[in-house]
């Protein structure tokens, strides 16, 4: 119920903001606000997905073709803003028209999580590089930073749910 009650005002904010931008034009600040509201709405929808997933209901449709390049590029203004506020240099190299067969929401969720963590664990004055390229039939998505890092022994476990060892390392700033 809480998730549903949160989504309703977010939808209203999105609608009014979109209408305002259509009538008066956009500006960098409005684009950042819109990106933040869109991300928050996506996060709320993700909470719905967790509930559905825990009940065994299929959440993603991986038979869709998604434009990975556009998914990343649409999130960049928000990340650029966060980096600027934290005095982190953000470099990007995103090849155009990289498509893959996967649910766009899943790709967005994974990419945003990785990038947000890079920002979170990079100190002021640090640097983050995001790249998306192809090599033959393979897609290479990379987020590199000069933050504290993840110990090699835990890198294969980062997507495991409730990993106690990973949480303990994070809380004690060992990452």
């Amino acid at each position: 119920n809480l998730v549903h009650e949160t989504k309703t005002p977010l939808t209203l904010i999105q609608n009014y903001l979109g209408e305002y931008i259509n009538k008066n034009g956009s500006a960098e600040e409005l684009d950042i606000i819109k990106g933040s509201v869109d991300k928050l709405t996506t996060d709320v929808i993700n909470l719905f997905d967790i509930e559905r997933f825990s009940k065994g209901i299929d959440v993603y449709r991986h038979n869709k073709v998604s434009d990975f390049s556009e998914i990343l590029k649409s999130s960049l203004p928000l990340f650029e803003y966060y980096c600027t506020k934290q005095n982190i240099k953000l470099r990007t190299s995103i090849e155009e028209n990289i498509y893959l067969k996967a649910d766009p929401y899943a790709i967005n969720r994974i990419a945003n999580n990785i990038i947000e963590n890079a920002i979170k664990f990079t100190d002021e004055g640090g640097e983050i590089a995001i790249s998306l390229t192809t090599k033959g039939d393979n897609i290479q998505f990379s987020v590199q930073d000069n933050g504290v890092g993840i110990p090699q022994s835990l890198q294969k476990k980062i997507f495991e749910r409730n990993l106690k060892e990973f949480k303990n390392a994070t809380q004690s700033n060992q990452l």
Side-chain angles (χ1 to χ4, degrees):
N1 288 338
L2 180 61
V3 172
H4 180 72
E5 294 302 320
T6 304
K7 188 173 182 298
T8 302
L10 284 173
T11 301
L12 290 172
I13 292 168
Q14 278 182 309
N15 291 342
Y16 283 112
L17 183 58
E19 190 175 313
Y20 181 88
I21 290 171
N22 285 339
K23 285 182 182 177
N24 301 302
S26 190
E28 182 180 358
E29 292 86 1
L30 287 174
D31 291 339
I32 290 169
I33 292 168
K34 184 176 182 331
S36 296
V37 171
D38 290 346
K39 184 185 178 325
L40 186 56
T41 302
T42 299
D43 290 344
V44 168
I45 291 168
N46 289 341
L47 292 172
F48 277 124
D49 289 348
I50 291 169
E51 176 72 16
R52 289 176 35 211
F53 184 77
S54 67
K55 292 180 179 179
I57 299 170
D58 191 20
V59 176
Y60 297 116
R61 291 183 173 81
H62 291 301
N63 59 346
K64 290 183 174 183
V65 174
S66 300
D67 186 342
F68 197 175
S69 303
E70 283 303 313
I71 290 170
L72 278 179
K73 285 179 10 183
S74 68
S75 296
L76 284 181
L78 186 59
F79 295 128
E80 289 167 346
Y81 176 76
Y82 289 153
C83 287
T84 300
K85 282 194 67 111
Q86 296 184 23
N87 193 28
I88 296 172
K89 183 177 180 183
L90 178 64
R91 291 184 296 117
T92 61
S93 175
I94 299 173
E95 189 176 313
E96 297 286 329
N97 301 314
I98 295 182
Y99 295 90
L100 58 108
K101 193 172 185 179
D103 190 298
Y105 295 112
I107 297 303
N108 189 346
R109 181 183 284 174
I110 292 167
N112 284 349
N113 187 287
I114 292 169
I115 296 167
E116 285 172 356
N117 283 334
I119 294 169
K120 180 179 176 181
F121 292 107
T122 298
D123 291 330
E124 185 174 333
E127 186 172 314
I128 298 172
I130 301 169
S131 70
L132 179 65
T133 60
T134 55
K135 280 194 176 180
D137 291 337
N138 295 316
I139 296 172
Q140 291 185 327
F141 171 58
S142 172
V143 178
Q144 296 178 342
D145 62 69
N146 60 354
V148 292
I150 300 170
Q152 184 119 17
S153 63
L154 297 178
Q155 289 179 7
K156 291 185 179 186
K157 299 179 180 185
I158 62 172
F159 291 108
E160 289 181 19
R161 189 175 177 154
N162 297 323
L163 180 65
K164 187 176 181 180
E165 182 181 7
F166 188 74
K167 285 183 180 179
N168 290 340
T170 303
Q171 290 170 350
S172 64
N173 293 324
Q174 293 176 358
L175 294 180

